[in-house]
Amino acid sequence: MNLITFEADDLIAPNTLVLRDRRLQHLLGVHKAQVGDSLKVGELGGLMGHGELIALTSDEATLRICLDTPPPAKRDVILVLALPRPKMLKRILQMVVTLGVSELVLINSYRVEKSFWQSPWLSEAAMAEQLRLGLEQAGDTVAPRVSLRPRFKPFVEDDLPALMQGRDGWVAHPVLRQAGATGQPGDITTAPTQRLAPSAAPTLLAIGPEGGFIAYEVEKLQAAGLQCCDLGPRILRVETAVAVALGQLLP
Amino acid sequence: MNLITFEADDLIAPNTLVLRDRRLQHLLGVHKAQVGDSLKVGELGGLMGHGELIALTSDEATLRICLDTPPPAKRDVILVLALPRPKMLKRILQMVVTLGVSELVLINSYRVEKSFWQSPWLSEAAMAEQLRLGLEQAGDTVAPRVSLRPRFKPFVEDDLPALMQGRDGWVAHPVLRQAGATGQPGDITTAPTQRLAPSAAPTLLAIGPEGGFIAYEVEKLQAAGLQCCDLGPRILRVETAVAVALGQLLP
Protein backbone atom coordinates (compact mmCIF):
# COMPACT_ATOMS: atom_id res chain seq x y z
CA MET A 1 0.00 0.00 0.00
CA ASN A 2 1.98 2.94 -1.33
CA LEU A 3 -1.05 5.20 -0.96
CA ILE A 4 -3.83 5.03 1.63
CA THR A 5 -7.09 5.55 -0.24
CA PHE A 6 -10.25 6.78 1.46
CA GLU A 7 -13.80 7.90 0.74
CA ALA A 8 -15.86 10.74 2.20
CA ASP A 9 -17.37 8.28 4.72
CA ASP A 10 -13.94 7.79 6.30
CA LEU A 11 -13.71 11.47 7.29
CA ILE A 12 -14.97 12.50 10.74
CA ALA A 13 -14.13 16.14 10.01
CA PRO A 14 -13.09 17.87 6.77
CA ASN A 15 -9.40 17.17 7.36
CA THR A 16 -9.57 14.23 9.77
CA LEU A 17 -9.48 10.68 8.50
CA VAL A 18 -10.18 7.61 10.63
CA LEU A 19 -9.19 4.11 9.50
CA ARG A 20 -10.47 0.92 11.11
CA ASP A 21 -10.36 -1.83 8.49
CA ARG A 22 -7.62 -3.60 6.49
CA ARG A 23 -5.90 -0.23 6.05
CA LEU A 24 -5.42 -0.01 9.82
CA GLN A 25 -4.08 -3.57 9.88
CA HIS A 26 -1.67 -2.69 7.09
CA LEU A 27 -0.47 0.44 8.92
CA LEU A 28 0.15 -1.57 12.07
CA GLY A 29 1.50 -4.78 10.55
CA VAL A 30 3.43 -3.70 7.47
CA HIS A 31 4.17 0.02 7.81
CA LYS A 32 4.76 -0.31 11.60
CA ALA A 33 3.40 3.23 11.69
CA GLN A 34 3.78 5.43 14.75
CA VAL A 35 2.14 8.65 15.88
CA GLY A 36 3.81 11.55 14.08
CA ASP A 37 4.47 9.61 10.87
CA SER A 38 3.54 11.26 7.60
CA LEU A 39 1.80 8.92 5.17
CA LYS A 40 0.61 9.33 1.58
CA VAL A 41 -3.15 9.51 1.34
CA GLY A 42 -5.61 10.06 -1.51
CA GLU A 43 -9.37 10.44 -1.84
CA LEU A 44 -10.86 7.95 -4.33
CA GLY A 45 -11.55 9.94 -7.46
CA GLY A 46 -9.91 13.06 -6.02
CA LEU A 47 -6.71 14.66 -4.76
CA MET A 48 -3.71 13.05 -3.10
CA GLY A 49 -1.53 14.42 -0.32
CA HIS A 50 -0.18 13.55 3.10
CA GLY A 51 -1.70 12.56 6.40
CA GLU A 52 -0.03 12.99 9.77
CA LEU A 53 -0.84 10.16 12.14
CA ILE A 54 -2.14 11.99 15.22
CA ALA A 55 -3.59 9.02 17.15
CA LEU A 56 -3.17 5.27 16.90
CA THR A 57 -4.75 2.42 18.85
CA SER A 58 -5.32 -1.21 17.94
CA ASP A 59 -8.88 -0.17 16.90
CA GLU A 60 -8.33 2.94 14.86
CA ALA A 61 -5.86 5.30 13.29
CA THR A 62 -6.55 9.02 13.07
CA LEU A 63 -4.81 11.17 10.49
CA ARG A 64 -4.85 14.90 9.89
CA ILE A 65 -4.74 15.20 6.14
CA CYS A 66 -3.71 17.78 3.60
CA LEU A 67 -4.65 17.10 -0.04
CA ASP A 68 -2.80 19.18 -2.61
CA THR A 69 -1.75 16.99 -5.52
CA PRO A 70 -3.80 15.77 -8.48
CA PRO A 71 -3.42 12.08 -9.34
CA PRO A 72 -1.11 11.26 -12.25
CA ALA A 73 -2.74 11.77 -15.64
CA LYS A 74 -4.16 8.67 -17.27
CA ARG A 75 -2.72 7.46 -20.54
CA ASP A 76 -5.21 7.73 -23.38
CA VAL A 77 -5.15 3.97 -23.92
CA ILE A 78 -8.10 1.62 -24.16
CA LEU A 79 -7.08 -1.97 -23.43
CA VAL A 80 -9.35 -4.58 -25.01
CA LEU A 81 -8.57 -7.88 -23.37
CA ALA A 82 -10.00 -11.35 -23.88
CA LEU A 83 -11.37 -12.31 -20.47
CA PRO A 84 -8.57 -14.05 -18.56
CA ARG A 85 -9.09 -16.88 -16.09
CA PRO A 86 -10.39 -15.54 -12.75
CA LYS A 87 -7.17 -16.04 -10.80
CA MET A 88 -5.24 -14.07 -13.39
CA LEU A 89 -8.00 -11.46 -13.73
CA LYS A 90 -7.40 -10.28 -10.17
CA ARG A 91 -3.72 -9.64 -10.81
CA ILE A 92 -4.41 -8.09 -14.20
CA LEU A 93 -6.97 -5.64 -12.81
CA GLN A 94 -4.39 -4.41 -10.31
CA MET A 95 -1.68 -4.32 -12.96
CA VAL A 96 -3.78 -2.39 -15.45
CA VAL A 97 -4.22 0.34 -12.84
CA THR A 98 -0.48 0.59 -12.26
CA LEU A 99 0.04 0.90 -16.02
CA GLY A 100 -2.30 3.89 -16.19
CA VAL A 101 -4.73 2.83 -18.91
CA SER A 102 -7.91 4.90 -19.04
CA GLU A 103 -10.29 2.11 -20.00
CA LEU A 104 -10.39 -1.68 -19.90
CA VAL A 105 -12.87 -3.66 -22.01
CA LEU A 106 -13.07 -7.38 -21.22
CA ILE A 107 -14.33 -9.25 -24.26
CA ASN A 108 -15.20 -12.77 -25.26
CA SER A 109 -13.11 -14.79 -27.69
CA TYR A 110 -13.32 -18.33 -29.06
CA ARG A 111 -10.61 -19.53 -26.67
CA VAL A 112 -12.10 -17.93 -23.53
CA GLU A 113 -13.66 -20.68 -21.44
CA LYS A 114 -17.39 -20.01 -21.03
CA SER A 115 -17.18 -20.64 -17.29
CA PHE A 116 -14.95 -17.57 -16.86
CA TRP A 117 -17.98 -15.36 -17.51
CA GLN A 118 -19.72 -16.86 -14.45
CA SER A 119 -16.89 -15.98 -12.07
CA PRO A 120 -17.86 -14.09 -8.92
CA TRP A 121 -14.70 -12.03 -9.50
CA LEU A 122 -16.56 -10.26 -12.31
CA SER A 123 -19.07 -8.66 -9.93
CA GLU A 124 -18.84 -4.88 -9.74
CA ALA A 125 -17.87 -4.99 -6.07
CA ALA A 126 -15.16 -7.62 -6.56
CA MET A 127 -13.58 -5.75 -9.46
CA ALA A 128 -13.78 -2.44 -7.59
CA GLU A 129 -11.82 -4.00 -4.72
CA GLN A 130 -9.05 -5.21 -7.05
CA LEU A 131 -8.92 -1.84 -8.81
CA ARG A 132 -8.60 -0.14 -5.44
CA LEU A 133 -5.70 -2.40 -4.47
CA GLY A 134 -4.15 -1.35 -7.78
CA LEU A 135 -4.61 2.33 -6.96
CA GLU A 136 -2.98 1.81 -3.55
CA GLN A 137 -0.05 0.07 -5.25
CA ALA A 138 0.24 2.64 -8.04
CA GLY A 139 -0.19 5.83 -6.06
CA ASP A 140 -3.28 6.95 -7.95
CA THR A 141 -6.90 7.71 -7.02
CA VAL A 142 -8.78 7.28 -10.30
CA ALA A 143 -9.54 3.75 -11.49
CA PRO A 144 -9.91 3.01 -15.19
CA ARG A 145 -13.40 2.38 -16.50
CA VAL A 146 -14.02 -1.36 -16.87
CA SER A 147 -16.75 -2.89 -19.00
CA LEU A 148 -17.71 -6.44 -20.00
CA ARG A 149 -18.58 -7.50 -23.55
CA PRO A 150 -19.49 -11.19 -23.38
CA ARG A 151 -20.29 -11.46 -27.12
CA PHE A 152 -17.45 -10.96 -29.58
CA LYS A 153 -19.28 -10.18 -32.81
CA PRO A 154 -21.64 -7.48 -31.46
CA PHE A 155 -18.66 -5.90 -29.70
CA VAL A 156 -16.44 -5.80 -32.73
CA GLU A 157 -19.18 -4.73 -35.18
CA ASP A 158 -21.24 -2.36 -33.05
CA ASP A 159 -18.96 -0.97 -30.31
CA LEU A 160 -15.42 -1.13 -31.64
CA PRO A 161 -15.79 1.38 -34.49
CA ALA A 162 -16.84 4.09 -32.02
CA LEU A 163 -14.01 3.22 -29.60
CA MET A 164 -11.54 3.42 -32.49
CA GLN A 165 -12.55 6.97 -33.52
CA GLY A 166 -9.35 9.03 -33.62
CA ARG A 167 -7.17 6.22 -32.26
CA ASP A 168 -4.29 4.07 -33.39
CA GLY A 169 -5.38 0.46 -33.03
CA TRP A 170 -3.19 -2.58 -32.41
CA VAL A 171 -3.78 -6.25 -31.87
CA ALA A 172 -0.96 -8.27 -30.35
CA HIS A 173 -0.82 -11.23 -32.70
CA PRO A 174 2.43 -12.57 -34.12
CA VAL A 175 1.13 -13.39 -37.57
CA LEU A 176 4.31 -14.30 -39.40
CA ARG A 177 5.98 -16.13 -36.57
CA GLN A 178 2.82 -18.01 -35.70
CA ALA A 179 2.47 -19.03 -39.33
CA GLY A 180 6.03 -20.27 -39.24
CA ALA A 181 5.55 -22.11 -36.01
CA THR A 182 2.30 -23.88 -36.73
CA GLY A 183 2.65 -24.30 -40.47
CA GLN A 184 -1.15 -24.06 -40.78
CA PRO A 185 -2.20 -23.04 -44.31
CA GLY A 186 -5.15 -21.07 -42.88
CA ASP A 187 -2.92 -18.48 -41.24
CA ILE A 188 -4.29 -15.22 -42.36
CA THR A 189 -1.62 -12.96 -43.78
CA THR A 190 2.01 -12.77 -44.68
CA ALA A 191 2.27 -9.06 -43.92
CA PRO A 192 5.15 -8.51 -41.52
CA THR A 193 4.05 -7.45 -38.05
CA GLN A 194 5.52 -4.52 -36.24
CA ARG A 195 6.87 -3.85 -32.80
CA LEU A 196 4.87 -1.29 -30.81
CA ALA A 197 6.64 2.07 -30.62
CA PRO A 198 6.42 4.68 -27.85
CA SER A 199 3.39 6.85 -28.53
CA ALA A 200 1.37 9.49 -26.72
CA ALA A 201 -1.38 9.28 -29.35
CA PRO A 202 -4.77 7.92 -28.33
CA THR A 203 -4.45 4.17 -28.72
CA LEU A 204 -6.56 1.04 -28.53
CA LEU A 205 -4.70 -2.18 -27.84
CA ALA A 206 -6.27 -5.63 -28.12
CA ILE A 207 -4.71 -8.71 -26.49
CA GLY A 208 -6.10 -12.20 -26.93
CA PRO A 209 -6.57 -15.13 -24.58
CA GLU A 210 -4.04 -17.86 -23.78
CA GLY A 211 -3.61 -19.48 -27.19
CA GLY A 212 -4.38 -16.22 -29.01
CA PHE A 213 -7.28 -14.89 -31.04
CA ILE A 214 -8.41 -17.22 -33.83
CA ALA A 215 -7.97 -16.13 -37.46
CA TYR A 216 -11.61 -15.05 -37.80
CA GLU A 217 -11.27 -12.77 -34.78
CA VAL A 218 -8.04 -11.22 -36.02
CA GLU A 219 -9.71 -10.56 -39.39
CA LYS A 220 -12.63 -8.83 -37.68
CA LEU A 221 -10.25 -6.70 -35.60
CA GLN A 222 -8.24 -5.83 -38.70
CA ALA A 223 -11.44 -4.88 -40.51
CA ALA A 224 -12.11 -2.42 -37.68
CA GLY A 225 -8.73 -0.79 -38.33
CA LEU A 226 -6.39 -2.58 -35.90
CA GLN A 227 -2.90 -3.47 -37.09
CA CYS A 228 -1.05 -6.58 -35.94
CA CYS A 229 1.94 -6.18 -33.65
CA ASP A 230 4.42 -8.67 -32.32
CA LEU A 231 5.71 -9.11 -28.75
CA GLY A 232 8.70 -11.32 -29.56
CA PRO A 233 9.45 -14.93 -30.48
CA ARG A 234 8.33 -16.57 -27.22
CA ILE A 235 4.78 -17.19 -26.05
CA LEU A 236 3.97 -14.86 -23.17
CA ARG A 237 1.40 -15.32 -20.45
CA VAL A 238 -1.43 -12.83 -20.79
CA GLU A 239 -0.32 -10.72 -17.85
CA THR A 240 3.23 -10.54 -19.20
CA ALA A 241 1.92 -9.63 -22.66
CA VAL A 242 -0.15 -6.79 -21.18
CA ALA A 243 2.85 -5.33 -19.33
CA VAL A 244 5.22 -5.74 -22.29
CA ALA A 245 2.83 -4.12 -24.76
CA LEU A 246 1.88 -1.23 -22.48
CA GLY A 247 5.55 -0.76 -21.60
CA GLN A 248 6.48 -0.53 -25.27
CA LEU A 249 3.73 2.05 -25.91
CA LEU A 250 4.75 4.22 -22.92
CA PRO A 251 5.91 7.57 -24.34
CA MET B 1 2.24 -26.11 -21.63
CA ASN B 2 2.91 -24.82 -25.14
CA LEU B 3 5.91 -27.13 -25.46
CA ILE B 4 6.43 -30.58 -23.92
CA THR B 5 9.98 -30.65 -22.58
CA PHE B 6 11.87 -33.87 -22.00
CA GLU B 7 15.28 -35.20 -21.04
CA ALA B 8 17.29 -38.13 -22.41
CA ASP B 9 15.87 -40.33 -19.59
CA ASP B 10 12.38 -39.94 -21.05
CA LEU B 11 13.40 -41.64 -24.32
CA ILE B 12 12.94 -45.41 -24.65
CA ALA B 13 14.44 -45.35 -28.16
CA PRO B 14 16.21 -42.57 -30.06
CA ASN B 15 12.94 -41.16 -31.43
CA THR B 16 10.43 -42.54 -28.95
CA LEU B 17 9.37 -40.50 -25.95
CA VAL B 18 7.32 -41.84 -23.04
CA LEU B 19 5.61 -39.51 -20.56
CA ARG B 20 4.18 -40.64 -17.23
CA ASP B 21 4.21 -37.63 -14.87
CA ARG B 22 2.52 -34.22 -14.75
CA ARG B 23 3.10 -33.92 -18.49
CA LEU B 24 0.86 -36.95 -19.07
CA GLN B 25 -1.79 -35.47 -16.77
CA HIS B 26 -1.60 -32.19 -18.70
CA LEU B 27 -1.97 -33.99 -22.04
CA LEU B 28 -5.02 -35.86 -20.76
CA GLY B 29 -6.67 -33.10 -18.72
CA VAL B 30 -5.87 -29.87 -20.56
CA HIS B 31 -4.86 -30.79 -24.09
CA LYS B 32 -7.45 -33.65 -24.26
CA ALA B 33 -4.88 -35.26 -26.54
CA GLN B 34 -5.77 -38.24 -28.74
CA VAL B 35 -3.72 -40.81 -30.61
CA GLY B 36 -2.60 -39.26 -33.89
CA ASP B 37 -2.25 -35.73 -32.50
CA SER B 38 0.91 -33.81 -33.29
CA LEU B 39 2.37 -31.96 -30.32
CA LYS B 40 5.29 -29.59 -29.94
CA VAL B 41 8.18 -31.18 -28.07
CA GLY B 42 11.68 -30.05 -27.13
CA GLU B 43 14.70 -31.61 -25.46
CA LEU B 44 15.93 -29.56 -22.50
CA GLY B 45 19.01 -27.73 -23.70
CA GLY B 46 18.51 -28.99 -27.25
CA LEU B 47 16.33 -28.99 -30.35
CA MET B 48 12.57 -28.59 -30.62
CA GLY B 49 10.19 -30.27 -33.05
CA HIS B 50 7.01 -32.31 -33.14
CA GLY B 51 5.88 -35.57 -31.59
CA GLU B 52 3.09 -37.76 -32.95
CA LEU B 53 1.10 -39.41 -30.21
CA ILE B 54 1.22 -43.10 -31.15
CA ALA B 55 -0.17 -44.65 -27.95
CA LEU B 56 -2.06 -43.26 -24.97
CA THR B 57 -3.30 -44.91 -21.78
CA SER B 58 -4.10 -43.48 -18.36
CA ASP B 59 -0.55 -44.51 -17.33
CA GLU B 60 1.60 -43.32 -20.19
CA ALA B 61 1.76 -41.45 -23.46
CA THR B 62 4.10 -42.58 -26.23
CA LEU B 63 5.25 -40.14 -28.90
CA ARG B 64 7.32 -40.60 -32.04
CA ILE B 65 9.37 -37.45 -32.21
CA CYS B 66 11.20 -35.49 -34.87
CA LEU B 67 13.48 -32.67 -33.68
CA ASP B 68 14.50 -30.16 -36.33
CA THR B 69 14.28 -26.63 -34.92
CA PRO B 70 16.73 -24.78 -32.71
CA PRO B 71 15.24 -22.92 -29.75
CA PRO B 72 14.76 -19.14 -30.18
CA ALA B 73 17.96 -17.18 -29.64
CA LYS B 74 18.41 -15.64 -26.21
CA ARG B 75 18.54 -11.89 -25.83
CA ASP B 76 21.94 -10.71 -24.63
CA VAL B 77 20.43 -9.26 -21.47
CA ILE B 78 21.57 -9.83 -17.89
CA LEU B 79 18.79 -9.06 -15.43
CA VAL B 80 20.03 -8.11 -11.95
CA LEU B 81 17.06 -8.29 -9.62
CA ALA B 82 16.72 -7.62 -5.92
CA LEU B 83 15.45 -10.92 -4.50
CA PRO B 84 11.64 -10.78 -4.56
CA ARG B 85 9.37 -12.37 -1.98
CA PRO B 86 9.15 -16.15 -2.55
CA LYS B 87 5.60 -16.19 -3.91
CA MET B 88 6.53 -13.58 -6.50
CA LEU B 89 9.89 -15.25 -7.23
CA LYS B 90 8.11 -18.30 -8.66
CA ARG B 91 6.15 -16.20 -11.14
CA ILE B 92 9.16 -14.05 -11.98
CA LEU B 93 11.38 -17.06 -12.75
CA GLN B 94 8.79 -18.28 -15.24
CA MET B 95 8.32 -14.80 -16.67
CA VAL B 96 12.03 -14.16 -17.10
CA VAL B 97 12.22 -17.29 -19.27
CA THR B 98 9.38 -16.10 -21.48
CA LEU B 99 11.14 -12.75 -21.88
CA GLY B 100 14.28 -14.46 -23.16
CA VAL B 101 16.96 -13.02 -20.88
CA SER B 102 20.23 -14.91 -20.95
CA GLU B 103 21.14 -14.51 -17.29
CA LEU B 104 19.40 -13.66 -14.03
CA VAL B 105 21.35 -12.52 -10.97
CA LEU B 106 19.34 -12.33 -7.74
CA ILE B 107 20.99 -9.86 -5.37
CA ASN B 108 20.49 -8.51 -1.91
CA SER B 109 19.35 -4.95 -1.21
CA TYR B 110 18.59 -2.99 1.95
CA ARG B 111 14.85 -3.43 1.45
CA VAL B 112 14.99 -7.19 0.78
CA GLU B 113 13.68 -9.00 3.86
CA LYS B 114 16.42 -11.25 5.24
CA SER B 115 14.00 -14.16 5.53
CA PHE B 116 13.61 -14.27 1.74
CA TRP B 117 17.13 -15.71 1.49
CA GLN B 118 16.05 -18.71 3.57
CA SER B 119 13.20 -19.62 1.24
CA PRO B 120 13.09 -23.25 0.05
CA TRP B 121 12.11 -21.81 -3.35
CA LEU B 122 15.76 -20.77 -3.75
CA SER B 123 17.01 -24.35 -3.87
CA GLU B 124 18.50 -25.37 -7.18
CA ALA B 125 15.81 -28.01 -7.75
CA ALA B 126 12.93 -25.65 -6.94
CA MET B 127 14.25 -22.95 -9.25
CA ALA B 128 14.92 -25.48 -12.02
CA GLU B 129 11.29 -26.60 -11.83
CA GLN B 130 10.00 -23.01 -12.21
CA LEU B 131 12.40 -22.34 -15.07
CA ARG B 132 11.17 -25.50 -16.79
CA LEU B 133 7.55 -24.37 -16.46
CA GLY B 134 8.68 -21.11 -18.03
CA LEU B 135 10.29 -22.97 -20.94
CA GLU B 136 7.09 -24.96 -21.48
CA GLN B 137 5.10 -21.71 -21.51
CA ALA B 138 7.58 -19.85 -23.73
CA GLY B 139 8.31 -22.58 -26.28
CA ASP B 140 12.03 -22.71 -25.52
CA THR B 141 14.45 -25.37 -24.29
CA VAL B 142 17.31 -23.36 -22.81
CA ALA B 143 16.84 -21.79 -19.38
CA PRO B 144 18.72 -18.63 -18.42
CA ARG B 145 21.61 -18.99 -15.99
CA VAL B 146 20.52 -18.02 -12.48
CA SER B 147 22.85 -17.07 -9.66
CA LEU B 148 22.43 -15.78 -6.12
CA ARG B 149 24.42 -12.89 -4.62
CA PRO B 150 23.27 -12.50 -1.02
CA ARG B 151 25.70 -9.65 -0.26
CA PHE B 152 25.22 -6.36 -2.09
CA LYS B 153 28.60 -4.69 -1.68
CA PRO B 154 30.80 -7.62 -2.75
CA PHE B 155 28.50 -8.14 -5.73
CA VAL B 156 28.59 -4.55 -6.88
CA GLU B 157 32.31 -4.03 -6.25
CA ASP B 158 33.75 -7.41 -7.25
CA ASP B 159 31.33 -9.01 -9.73
CA LEU B 160 29.43 -6.21 -11.42
CA PRO B 161 32.39 -4.60 -13.26
CA ALA B 162 33.08 -7.89 -15.08
CA LEU B 163 29.39 -8.40 -15.92
CA MET B 164 29.26 -4.83 -17.29
CA GLN B 165 32.17 -5.35 -19.74
CA GLY B 166 30.91 -4.28 -23.18
CA ARG B 167 27.34 -3.72 -22.00
CA ASP B 168 24.90 -0.88 -21.66
CA GLY B 169 23.81 -0.75 -18.04
CA TRP B 170 20.51 0.52 -16.65
CA VAL B 171 18.96 0.73 -13.25
CA ALA B 172 15.20 1.28 -13.08
CA HIS B 173 15.00 4.11 -10.57
CA PRO B 174 12.82 7.17 -11.10
CA VAL B 175 15.16 9.71 -9.57
CA LEU B 176 13.42 12.95 -10.36
CA ARG B 177 9.90 11.77 -9.79
CA GLN B 178 10.86 10.03 -6.59
CA ALA B 179 12.54 13.20 -5.37
CA GLY B 180 9.36 15.11 -6.16
CA ALA B 181 7.15 12.55 -4.54
CA THR B 182 8.98 12.04 -1.27
CA GLY B 183 10.50 15.48 -0.88
CA GLN B 184 13.46 13.88 0.89
CA PRO B 185 16.51 16.16 0.78
CA GLY B 186 18.77 13.11 0.52
CA ASP B 187 17.56 12.15 -2.93
CA ILE B 188 20.64 11.72 -4.95
CA THR B 189 20.54 13.59 -8.21
CA THR B 190 18.52 15.98 -10.27
CA ALA B 191 19.68 14.53 -13.57
CA PRO B 192 16.66 13.64 -15.69
CA THR B 193 16.13 9.94 -16.14
CA GLN B 194 15.46 8.34 -19.49
CA ARG B 195 13.00 5.89 -20.90
CA LEU B 196 14.55 2.62 -22.07
CA ALA B 197 14.77 2.41 -25.86
CA PRO B 198 14.66 -0.70 -28.05
CA SER B 199 18.17 -2.11 -28.26
CA ALA B 200 19.85 -5.26 -29.49
CA ALA B 201 23.12 -4.26 -27.77
CA PRO B 202 24.35 -6.37 -24.85
CA THR B 203 22.58 -4.93 -21.83
CA LEU B 204 22.53 -5.26 -18.07
CA LEU B 205 19.34 -4.15 -16.35
CA ALA B 206 18.99 -3.77 -12.58
CA ILE B 207 15.60 -3.64 -10.87
CA GLY B 208 15.20 -3.00 -7.16
CA PRO B 209 12.91 -4.47 -4.50
CA GLU B 210 9.42 -3.26 -3.56
CA GLY B 211 10.19 0.24 -2.30
CA GLY B 212 13.21 0.59 -4.58
CA PHE B 213 16.94 0.62 -4.11
CA ILE B 214 18.17 3.05 -1.44
CA ALA B 215 20.28 6.05 -2.47
CA TYR B 216 23.55 4.35 -1.44
CA GLU B 217 22.76 1.38 -3.65
CA VAL B 218 21.85 3.54 -6.64
CA GLU B 219 25.13 5.44 -6.19
CA LYS B 220 27.10 2.18 -6.18
CA LEU B 221 25.29 0.97 -9.30
CA GLN B 222 25.92 4.32 -11.00
CA ALA B 223 29.59 4.12 -10.05
CA ALA B 224 29.70 0.78 -11.88
CA GLY B 225 28.41 2.50 -15.02
CA LEU B 226 24.64 1.99 -14.82
CA GLN B 227 22.38 4.86 -15.88
CA CYS B 228 19.01 5.54 -14.28
CA CYS B 229 15.87 4.90 -16.27
CA ASP B 230 12.25 5.57 -15.53
CA LEU B 231 9.25 3.25 -15.97
CA GLY B 232 6.52 5.90 -15.66
CA PRO B 233 4.78 7.95 -12.97
CA ARG B 234 3.07 5.08 -11.11
CA ILE B 235 4.69 2.60 -8.74
CA LEU B 236 4.83 -0.83 -10.38
CA ARG B 237 4.98 -4.21 -8.73
CA VAL B 238 8.33 -5.87 -9.32
CA GLU B 239 6.97 -8.39 -11.80
CA THR B 240 5.25 -5.64 -13.79
CA ALA B 241 8.44 -3.56 -13.74
CA VAL B 242 10.45 -6.50 -15.10
CA ALA B 243 8.02 -7.05 -17.99
CA VAL B 244 7.71 -3.32 -18.79
CA ALA B 245 11.49 -2.76 -18.81
CA LEU B 246 12.29 -5.87 -20.84
CA GLY B 247 9.43 -5.04 -23.21
CA GLN B 248 10.84 -1.55 -23.77
CA LEU B 249 14.31 -2.95 -24.47
CA LEU B 250 13.03 -5.55 -26.95
CA PRO B 251 14.52 -4.65 -30.36
Side-chain angles (χ1 to χ4, degrees):
Chain A
M1 193 164 63
N2 295 307
L3 177 78
I4 299 168
T5 60
F6 67 91
E7 295 170 279
D9 281 356
D10 298 315
L11 296 173
I12 58 166
N15 291 315
T16 309
L17 171 64
V18 172
L19 306 175
R20 293 193 185 86
D21 54 13
R22 69 173 168 81
R23 294 166 293 175
L24 171 67
Q25 299 312 318
H26 194 93
L27 282 188
L28 293 168
V30 179
H31 285 192
K32 319 270 189 212
Q34 299 187 321
V35 169
D37 284 358
S38 175
L39 300 158
K40 287 197 205 174
V41 299
E43 182 166 11
L44 282 182
L47 293 175
M48 314 195 300
H50 284 82
E52 186 194 345
L53 194 55
I54 55 175
L56 182 65
T57 69
S58 57
D59 292 328
E60 61 180 41
T62 308
L63 295 100
R64 184 180 298 126
I65 62 170
C66 172
L67 303 180
D68 53 7
T69 310
K74 286 274 176 294
R75 298 162 64 180
D76 194 354
V77 174
I78 300 175
L79 176 63
V80 173
L81 187 66
L83 183 66
R85 62 183 62 246
K87 189 176 159 187
M88 194 177 280
L89 174 66
K90 292 170 59 180
R91 287 205 300 270
I92 286 183
L93 286 171
Q94 294 186 35
M95 195 177 74
V96 160
V97 177
T98 65
L99 292 168
V101 307
S102 53
E103 184 169 351
L104 172 66
V105 185
L106 295 166
I107 67 168
N108 196 36
S109 153
Y110 183 80
R111 293 202 178 102
V112 169
E113 287 184 30
K114 284 199 174 57
S115 65
F116 295 175
W117 287 102
Q118 310 308 320
S119 167
W121 293 104
L122 284 181
S123 75
E124 203 167 320
M127 290 205 293
E129 183 64 18
Q130 297 302 320
L131 294 171
R132 185 161 178 173
L133 293 173
L135 293 172
E136 293 177 351
Q137 163 67 33
D140 193 353
T141 61
V142 180
R145 290 185 298 280
V146 180
S147 55
L148 306 178
R149 293 289 180 273
R151 294 174 62 210
F152 180 83
K153 195 158 172 257
F155 165 74
V156 79
E157 290 183 353
D158 303 336
D159 301 341
L160 187 55
L163 292 175
M164 275 290 291
Q165 282 290 328
R167 288 182 186 276
D168 298 337
W170 296 98
V171 49
H173 188 73
V175 176
L176 264 186
R177 284 167 178 163
Q178 179 158 316
T182 68
Q184 297 298 316
D187 281 335
I188 52 171
T189 168
T190 55
T193 55
Q194 303 173 55
R195 180 201 187 283
L196 290 167
S199 169
T203 301
L204 182 143
L205 170 69
I207 295 181
E210 304 274 338
F213 286 118
I214 61 172
Y216 164 80
E217 293 167 340
V218 176
E219 282 166 16
K220 295 293 280 183
L221 293 167
Q222 287 178 313
L226 279 68
Q227 296 178 269
C228 287
C229 65
D230 185 327
L231 303 177
R234 289 174 190 73
I235 307 171
L236 305 179
R237 280 190 178 279
V238 170
E239 56 191 321
T240 308
V242 167
V244 163
L246 289 168
Q248 291 182 341
L249 277 172
L250 199 70
Chain B
M1 192 164 66
N2 295 307
L3 177 79
I4 299 167
T5 60
F6 67 91
E7 296 171 278
D9 281 356
D10 298 315
L11 296 173
I12 57 167
N15 292 316
T16 309
L17 171 63
V18 172
L19 306 175
R20 292 194 185 85
D21 55 12
R22 70 172 167 83
R23 294 167 293 175
L24 172 65
Q25 299 313 317
H26 194 93
L27 282 189
L28 293 169
V30 179
H31 286 192
K32 320 271 189 209
Q34 299 188 321
V35 169
D37 285 357
S38 176
L39 300 158
K40 287 197 205 175
V41 299
E43 182 164 12
L44 282 181
L47 293 175
M48 314 195 298
H50 283 83
E52 186 195 346
L53 193 55
I54 55 174
L56 182 64
T57 69
S58 58
D59 292 329
E60 62 180 42
T62 308
L63 295 100
R64 184 180 298 126
I65 62 171
C66 172
L67 303 180
D68 53 8
T69 311
K74 286 275 176 293
R75 298 162 64 180
D76 195 353
V77 173
I78 300 174
L79 177 63
V80 173
L81 187 66
L83 183 65
R85 62 184 61 246
K87 189 177 158 185
M88 194 176 279
L89 174 66
K90 291 170 61 179
R91 285 206 300 271
I92 286 182
L93 286 171
Q94 294 187 34
M95 195 176 74
V96 159
V97 178
T98 66
L99 292 168
V101 308
S102 53
E103 184 168 351
L104 172 65
V105 185
L106 295 166
I107 66 168
N108 196 35
S109 153
Y110 183 79
R111 294 202 177 103
V112 169
E113 286 185 31
K114 284 200 173 57
S115 65
F116 294 175
W117 288 103
Q118 310 308 320
S119 166
W121 293 105
L122 285 180
S123 75
E124 203 167 322
M127 290 204 294
E129 184 63 17
Q130 297 303 320
L131 295 171
R132 184 159 178 177
L133 292 173
L135 293 172
E136 293 178 350
Q137 163 67 34
D140 193 353
T141 62
V142 180
R145 290 184 298 279
V146 180
S147 55
L148 306 177
R149 293 288 180 276
R151 295 175 62 210
F152 181 84
K153 195 159 172 255
F155 165 73
V156 80
E157 290 182 352
D158 304 337
D159 301 342
L160 186 55
L163 291 176
M164 276 289 291
Q165 283 290 327
R167 287 182 187 275
D168 298 335
W170 297 97
V171 49
H173 189 71
V175 175
L176 263 185
R177 285 166 178 165
Q178 180 158 317
T182 67
Q184 297 298 314
D187 282 335
I188 53 172
T189 169
T190 54
T193 55
Q194 304 173 53
R195 180 201 186 283
L196 289 167
S199 170
T203 300
L204 183 143
L205 171 69
I207 295 181
E210 304 273 339
F213 286 119
I214 62 172
Y216 164 81
E217 293 167 339
V218 176
E219 282 166 13
K220 295 293 280 183
L221 293 167
Q222 287 178 313
L226 279 67
Q227 295 178 271
C228 287
C229 64
D230 184 329
L231 303 178
R234 291 174 189 73
I235 307 170
L236 305 179
R237 281 191 177 278
V238 170
E239 57 189 323
T240 308
V242 167
V244 163
L246 288 169
Q248 291 182 341
L249 277 172
L250 199 70

